[in-house]
Amino acid sequence: MNFIDWCNNNQGFLSFLLSCLTLLTSIIAIILSLLNYLKQYRNKLSIFSTILITGDKKENLWIDIINLGNKPLGIQQLSIVYDRCHLNCKCNNKINYRTLAPLERISLKYDLDIKIINELNGDDLSKIYSQHFKIYATDFYGKKYYCKEILPGL
């Protein structure tokens, strides 16, 4: 009964408490709507790679690039690095300055100029390939996307 009397005598406190609660709810709603709005403008590329050795001992590097963003994203440069040296690879498709639509996928086949695959031996080829090869793409905004793992082909 003491609490009810106190609330009746201090009506301004309850109004202040309800106002703060309404203000907090409004701020949370604004933040969530801004995050949802900015999500449609995110840029994200995903890069997957596989190294295949064909019967004639030729090394092929397959790179798949997928635009996971919600807007078209241009690829300014695709780089392949082997032990800190940029490789000069022949590609069957020109990738530099290409624009990918949302959820568009492009597959590229590179013929490696050097015979290095035979030197790389071990049980976990995926880990070995990922240690020696670095593949990254740069978009038109200057953001770099890296290939996390290079899988051995069968």
Side-chain angles (χ1 to χ4, degrees):
M1 195 81 132
N2 214 0
F3 179 72
I4 294 174
D5 289 336
W6 184 84
C7 288
N8 285 336
N9 292 333
N10 296 308
Q11 293 175 5
F13 174 75
L14 290 178
S15 296
F16 173 74
L17 189 63
L18 288 175
S19 298
C20 289
L21 185 63
T22 304
L23 186 62
L24 180 65
T25 306
S26 300
I27 290 172
I28 291 172
I30 290 171
I31 289 173
L32 289 177
S33 64
L34 282 175
L35 289 176
N36 193 26
Y37 175 75
L38 293 176
K39 187 178 180 182
Q40 66 184 340
Y41 293 110
R42 71 181 171 127
N43 299 330
K44 185 166 184 180
L45 286 178
S46 182
I47 304 173
F48 302 100
S49 183
T50 305
I51 291 182
L52 294 174
I53 302 173
T54 58
D56 56 353
K57 297 295 182 189
K58 190 175 183 183
E59 293 90 4
N60 293 324
L61 177 65
W62 285 90
I63 300 173
D64 292 324
I65 301 174
I66 304 169
N67 181 5
L68 296 177
N70 294 327
K71 66 177 185 173
L73 187 60
I75 298 173
Q76 184 174 359
Q77 182 182 11
L78 180 68
S79 298
I80 303 169
V81 179
Y82 173 73
D83 284 340
R84 298 184 183 151
C85 296
H86 286 273
L87 296 180
N88 293 324
C89 301
K90 297 175 185 169
C91 180
N92 63 349
N93 193 351
K94 202 168 190 177
I95 185 67
N96 292 345
Y97 299 102
R98 167 128 187 217
T99 301
L100 297 175
L103 300 177
E104 183 180 356
R105 175 183 183 164
I106 184 171
S107 294
L108 305 167
K109 176 187 167 192
Y110 284 91
D111 296 327
L112 298 178
D113 290 339
I114 56 177
K115 302 288 181 187
I116 54 175
I117 303 301
N118 295 332
E119 299 171 8
L120 303 176
N121 295 321
D123 294 332
D124 190 3
L125 287 177
S126 175
K127 185 176 180 183
I128 292 171
Y129 290 160
S130 298
Q131 286 174 352
H132 291 279
F133 283 97
K134 302 294 180 206
I135 300 170
Y136 61 91
T138 306
D139 66 8
F140 286 158
Y141 302 105
K143 185 176 178 184
K144 288 188 179 181
Y145 302 90
Y146 294 92
C147 179
K148 295 185 180 12
E149 184 176 22
I150 300 173
L151 302 173
L154 300 174

